[in-house]
């Protein structure tokens, strides 16, 4: 590749990211092109045919995954390697499925960018050299047929070079460049071949999914270079516990997999314990810091009823999730008959259930009315509601409560789609009743902390409000206090953008976790909702009564309205009034029901927002 100047296309809608990537690549002597959106990227790629594309995932309009799919669908552009740029590890598998060759994590680390770009450039160089050599060999064979004897020695040399390049290219395609172990693609091929053999022969094998506990701690405190070194040392450590016949691969991130043949389920568990022993004796050292590691291991017996790599991974992911719930360094053997609860029995199918629910519109929008408690000035209080998601189960023909499906939705990264669906439904409904807007105080919509990390959500809400001509003040987003808001600055910026549209925010389940006071101090919440676990029995539990009293006092000091949920009897309601709580929500006042325009009119036409629903 000497003398050839490589062309790199940077696709990102954020100027700061473009500047950083341009500065990093400047020293490599690349010719840089820039596109700030998907259509422009496709146009430049078709016209200039760059050697490499650095593609941002989250962009307005056409996102990075769609851009990559279109590139790979074009025969002329399909071989251009694409490196995704993303801040979410959840995007990595989706990026590879779309055809991506690699990924760069955000915030951008110069060493990581250079390493991954050089890796792809080396791969492309080998591909080009191989094609050129193939053409050259074919031409020379034709030209030298008459002088084959004299050219034989030189030809053997060139064929050896070709074989070397083919071997090198195959290695790069099947191995992870950080750990030098097999990659996910190679694992998929190996498992698929093994599953085919198991259908024809009586074979026994086990699959181990290994997830490093607290890898993120090292990666974020010491940097990506330390994280890569940890992965290399961890891979060498685990490899030392394996037999030569075992297939060992890195799946991506901090996950590894082992396929061991001629092993029973007990043998798989014994192998997992041996790996744990190896890990327990290991201590990762980095710049005078020392880290003790542990790993959660899922064990799945490979049997004839498993017919695909994806099915095996779904089973292993479920067992790994249960292992992590049991604590650091746990081993969990996959058992389809495990019956701790209905939710756990069915969780192996939740990914498909939720995908189908979103695709076939099986979600339902319910609501529960809030009752004003504090004495006002005599004027009617505007209607306040909280929306509640329900999921229709066509098999059992009944509605499932959020407690059944929200946790799996978060685990399979589908909760953002559910939140977007709910926001869209609420705004569309409000758009149908413009004459009722003045009588409505607010309609609350629950947001997962995962959802508020979506940079495009603010634009999505703004577009919905404009399309349906709904004032932003009618929406109040409830964020659960127990959720992990990992970046307070980002969350604050997100909330402020929506508050600029008139939307409001409520801190839900206040008091149930440890971050309550930090959130109240640093995030712009407009109101507080006290967790129902303290409210429900405060008339019989002095500790819970004292907790509610303290939270009510804090709300008054902060001058924020307070809502108490799970109010189920008049004794509790009376106590809440005496504490100056503003609003109550619970079965005492309203059983949740489907939210429709007709229901809103029935309530509001009764003459008072807090009145009972008209029969």
């Amino acid at each position: 590749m000497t003398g050839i100047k490589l062309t790199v296309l940077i696709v990102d809608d954020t100027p700061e990211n473009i500047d950083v990537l341009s500065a990093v690549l400047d020293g490599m002597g690349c010719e840089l092109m820039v596109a700030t959106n998907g259509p422009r990227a496709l146009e430049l790629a078709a016209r200039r045919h760059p050697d490499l594309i650095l593609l941002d995932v989250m962009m307005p309009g056409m996102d990075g995954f769609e851009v990559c799919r279109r590139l790979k669908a074009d025969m002329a552009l399909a071989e251009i390697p694409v490196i995704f740029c993303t801040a979410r590890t959840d995007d990595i598998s989706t990026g590879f499925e779309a055809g991506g060759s690699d990924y760069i994590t955000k915030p951008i680390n110069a060493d990581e960018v250079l390493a991954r770009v050089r890796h792809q450039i080396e791969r492309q160089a080998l591909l080009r050299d191989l094609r050129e050599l193939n053409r050259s060999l074919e031409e020379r064979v034709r030209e030298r047929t008459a002088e084959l004897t004299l050219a034989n020695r030189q030809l053997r040399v060139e064929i050896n070079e070709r074989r070397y390049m083919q071997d090198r290219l195959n290695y790069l395609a099947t191995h992870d460049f950080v750990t030098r172990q097999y990659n996910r693609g190679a694992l998929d091929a190996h498992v698929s071949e093994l599953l085919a053999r198991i259908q024809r022969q009586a074979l026994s094998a086990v699959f181990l999914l290994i997830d490093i506990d607290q890898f993120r701690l090292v990666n974020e405190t010491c940097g990506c270079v330390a994280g890569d070194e940890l992965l290399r040392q961890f891979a060498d450590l685990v490899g030392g516990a394996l037999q030569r016949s075992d297939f060992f691969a890195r799946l991506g991130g901090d996950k590894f997999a082992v396929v061991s043949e001629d092993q029973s389920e007990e043998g798989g568990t014994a192998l997992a314990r041996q790996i744990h022993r190896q890990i327990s004796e290991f201590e990762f050292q980095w710049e005078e810091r020392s880290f003790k590691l542990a790993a959660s291991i899922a064990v799945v017996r490979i049997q004839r009823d498993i017919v695909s790599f994806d099915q095996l991974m779904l089973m292993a992911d479920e067992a790994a999730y249960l292992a992590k719930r049991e604590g650091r360094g746990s081993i969990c053997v996959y058992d389809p008959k495990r019956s701790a609860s209905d939710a756990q029995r069915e969780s192996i199918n939740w990914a498909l259930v939720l995908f189908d629910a979103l695709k076939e519109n099986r979600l339902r929008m319910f609501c529960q009315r809030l009752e004003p408690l504090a004495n006002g000035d005599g004027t009617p209080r505007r209607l306040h509601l909280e929306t509640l998601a329900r999921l229709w189960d066509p098999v059992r023909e009944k509605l499932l409560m959020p407690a059944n499906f929200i946790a799996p939705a978060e685990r399979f990264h589908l909760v953002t789609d559910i939140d977007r669906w709910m926001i869209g439904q609420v705004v569309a409904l409000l758009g149908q009743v413009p004459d009722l807007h003045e009588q409505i105080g607010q309609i609350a919509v629950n947001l997962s902390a995962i959802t508020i990390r979506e940079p495009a959500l603010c634009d999505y809400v703004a577009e919905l409000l404009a399309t349906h001509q709904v004032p932003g003040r009618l929406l109040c987003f409830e964020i659960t206090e127990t959720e992990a808001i990992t970046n307070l600055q980002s969350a604050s910026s997100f909330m402020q953008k929506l508050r600029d549209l008139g939307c409001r925010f409520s801190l839900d389940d206040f008091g149930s976790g440890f971050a309550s006071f930090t959130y109240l101090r640093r995030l712009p919440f407009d109101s507080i909702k006290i967790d129902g676990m303290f409210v429900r029995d405060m008339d019989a539990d002095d500790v819970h009564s004292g907790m509610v009293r303290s939270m009510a006092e804090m709300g008054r000091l902060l001058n924020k309205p307070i809502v108490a949920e799970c109010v189920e009897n008049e004794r509790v309601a009376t106590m809440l009034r005496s504490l100056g709580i503003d609003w109550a929500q619970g079965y005492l006042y309203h059983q949740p029901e489907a939210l429709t325009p007709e229901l809103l009119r029935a309530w509001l036409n009764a003459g008072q927002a807090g009145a009972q629903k008209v029969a």
Side-chain angles (χ1 to χ4, degrees):
M1 297 298 292
T2 303
I4 298 178
K5 192 170 185 178
L6 295 169
T7 304
V8 178
L9 172 58
I10 299 174
V11 186
D12 201 306
D13 62 329
T14 304
E16 292 82 1
N17 290 341
I18 294 174
D19 292 341
V20 172
L21 289 172
S22 299
V24 172
L25 297 177
D26 185 61
M28 296 184 67
C30 300
E31 179 182 352
L32 301 180
M33 298 183 295
V34 173
T36 58
N37 56 61
R40 176 60 176 165
L42 294 173
E43 176 188 347
L44 282 175
R47 181 151 47 90
R48 298 289 301 277
H49 285 255
D51 298 286
L52 178 65
I53 298 175
L54 302 183
L55 180 57
D56 186 29
V57 171
M58 300 304 301
M59 294 187 294
M62 186 187 302
D63 65 12
F65 299 140
E66 181 60 23
V67 173
C68 187
R69 293 187 189 101
R70 296 194 184 188
L71 286 169
K72 298 306 176 181
D74 189 337
M75 293 293 293
L77 308 175
E79 293 187 4
I80 300 175
V82 175
I83 299 179
F84 281 104
C85 301
T86 177
R88 305 183 346 154
T89 56
D90 308 333
D91 291 336
I92 294 171
S93 59
T94 305
F96 283 127
E97 291 170 3
S101 301
D102 209 338
Y103 69 92
I104 294 171
T105 57
K106 293 182 179 179
I108 292 168
N109 178 280
D111 291 336
E112 181 187 13
V113 173
L114 290 173
R116 295 181 187 271
V117 168
R118 285 180 181 133
H119 174 72
Q120 292 302 323
I121 287 175
E122 178 188 3
R123 186 173 181 273
Q124 285 299 97
L126 287 171
L127 277 170
R128 291 183 182 181
D129 288 349
L130 179 60
R131 293 193 193 100
E132 183 61 32
L133 185 57
N134 283 335
R135 287 193 294 268
S136 175
L137 285 174
E138 290 169 0
E139 181 179 353
R140 291 181 185 183
V141 168
R142 287 194 300 268
E143 293 175 352
R144 297 183 183 182
T145 301
E147 49 183 10
L148 183 60
T149 303
L150 296 176
N152 189 52
R153 182 178 180 279
Q154 180 62 30
L155 189 59
R156 286 199 305 269
V157 172
E158 293 173 350
I159 288 174
N160 287 337
E161 291 177 356
R162 173 180 172 179
R163 286 173 177 168
Y164 167 77
M165 282 189 249
Q166 286 176 324
D167 290 343
R168 178 64 178 164
L169 184 61
N170 181 65
Y171 179 87
L172 291 173
T174 58
H175 286 73
D176 169 57
F177 81 97
V178 174
T179 63
R180 307 304 180 196
Q181 302 297 329
Y182 285 111
N183 59 20
R184 186 187 183 99
L187 177 67
D188 189 339
H190 180 81
V191 168
S192 298
E193 185 273 334
L194 175 61
L195 292 175
R197 284 195 287 123
I198 286 177
Q199 295 298 322
R200 296 190 296 267
Q201 307 170 34
L203 299 177
S204 60
V206 292
F207 180 87
L208 273 62
L209 179 61
I210 306 169
D211 192 333
I212 305 176
D213 295 329
Q214 294 186 321
F215 167 75
R216 188 173 178 180
L217 174 66
V218 176
N219 206 46
E220 293 188 358
T221 57
C222 301
C224 296
V225 176
D228 285 352
E229 180 59 27
L230 169 58
L231 291 172
R232 279 190 286 272
Q233 293 187 25
F234 184 85
D236 292 342
L237 184 73
V238 174
L242 305 178
Q243 302 296 320
R244 291 179 60 87
S245 58
D246 294 334
F247 192 94
F248 184 38
R250 181 190 174 201
L251 285 166
D254 57 356
K255 289 184 173 61
F256 293 80
V258 175
V259 179
S260 184
E261 297 186 40
D262 299 324
Q263 288 274 21
S264 64
E265 187 175 288
E266 293 75 14
T269 304
L271 177 58
R273 292 196 188 100
Q274 173 62 24
I275 292 172
H276 269 167
R277 283 193 292 271
Q278 293 279 94
I279 296 171
S280 67
E281 299 169 359
F282 173 70
E283 200 168 283
F284 178 66
Q285 305 284 341
W286 186 264
E287 294 181 348
E288 300 182 355
R289 291 188 178 93
S290 177
F291 299 88
K292 289 292 291 182
L293 296 182
S296 301
I297 303 179
V299 180
V300 182
R301 183 183 176 191
I302 304 177
Q303 304 179 87
R304 286 182 176 175
D305 58 349
I306 302 175
V307 296
S308 71
F309 174 72
D310 290 338
Q311 181 186 358
L312 177 62
M313 282 303 304
L314 189 64
M315 297 161 71
D317 281 337
E318 176 64 19
Y321 168 74
L322 296 175
K324 277 191 170 292
R325 276 204 328 190
E326 292 172 5
R328 293 185 62 195
S330 297
I331 298 172
C332 181
V333 178
Y334 172 74
D335 180 5
K337 298 179 180 179
R338 191 167 182 175
S339 56
S341 67
D342 288 342
Q344 187 167 297
R345 283 200 304 271
E346 297 173 6
S347 61
I348 203 71
N349 296 318
W350 271 118
L352 295 177
V353 169
L354 292 168
F355 269 122
D356 290 343
L358 289 164
K359 181 179 178 181
E360 300 174 12
N361 198 27
R362 293 179 187 166
L363 291 168
R364 302 290 183 267
M365 180 171 61
F366 274 53
C367 70
Q368 189 173 40
R369 194 178 63 248
L370 276 66
E371 180 74 8
L373 291 180
N375 295 326
D377 57 5
T379 60
R381 300 290 288 268
R382 288 176 173 174
L383 179 65
H384 282 54
L385 302 174
E386 179 186 356
T387 54
L388 308 165
R390 300 289 188 266
L391 177 63
W392 174 249
D393 182 351
V395 177
R396 292 181 294 179
E397 296 187 344
K398 72 173 188 177
L399 289 171
L400 301 180
M401 303 295 283
N404 297 111
F405 62 85
I406 291 300
E410 290 178 339
R411 191 160 76 254
F412 293 113
H413 314 299
L414 294 172
V415 71
T416 296
D417 298 300
I418 295 175
D419 288 348
R420 279 177 172 254
W421 178 89
M422 181 63 83
I423 296 169
Q425 293 292 306
V426 171
V427 175
L429 181 143
L430 288 170
Q432 298 176 47
V433 290
D435 56 310
L436 303 181
H437 290 177
E438 288 303 315
Q439 301 176 65
I440 298 174
Q442 66 182 34
I443 295 184
V445 179
N446 288 283
L447 283 188
S448 166
I450 296 172
T451 301
I452 69 174
R453 301 173 202 159
E454 295 289 332
L457 185 64
C458 293
D459 294 334
Y460 173 73
V461 174
E463 183 179 349
L464 280 175
L465 294 174
T467 300
H468 296 280
Q469 297 184 340
V470 173
R473 70 162 185 83
L474 297 182
L475 291 183
C476 177
F477 294 107
E478 294 190 359
I479 300 178
T480 304
E481 186 272 320
T482 53
E483 293 288 359
I485 301 178
T486 56
N487 189 325
L488 289 177
Q489 183 176 356
S490 174
S492 179
S493 175
F494 166 84
M495 293 169 69
Q496 191 57 54
K497 287 178 182 177
L498 288 182
R499 292 180 92 241
D500 290 343
L501 298 174
C503 303
R504 284 168 281 187
F505 284 85
S506 179
L507 179 58
D508 196 9
D509 292 344
F510 181 65
S512 60
F514 298 104
S516 304
F517 304 112
T518 298
Y519 291 169
L520 280 176
R521 183 170 57 87
R522 298 187 58 184
L523 297 177
F525 285 105
D526 300 282
S527 59
I528 300 169
K529 179 176 281 190
I530 300 175
D531 193 321
M533 67 180 288
F534 303 113
V535 176
R536 183 180 288 110
D537 62 349
M538 62 181 290
D539 58 328
D541 189 315
D542 292 340
V543 174
H544 284 178
S545 176
M547 291 285 290
V548 174
R549 184 180 301 106
S550 298
M551 287 183 267
E553 180 63 24
M554 173 165 288
R556 282 194 294 273
L557 290 173
L558 295 172
N559 196 28
K560 296 183 185 296
I562 305 173
V563 180
E565 59 184 4
C566 297
V567 181
E568 298 177 355
N569 63 66
E570 189 58 46
R571 294 188 305 277
V572 169
T574 300
M575 295 176 70
L576 294 172
R577 287 191 190 93
S578 69
L579 294 174
I581 301 296
D582 301 275
W583 296 86
Q585 178 181 349
Y587 287 174
L588 175 63
Y589 301 107
H590 182 214
Q591 296 277 345
E593 57 187 311
L595 178 56
T596 64
E598 293 73 23
L599 181 66
L600 286 178
R601 291 189 184 281
W603 280 335
L604 296 173
N605 289 340
Q608 185 179 1
Q612 296 296 318
K613 175 175 162 275
V614 176

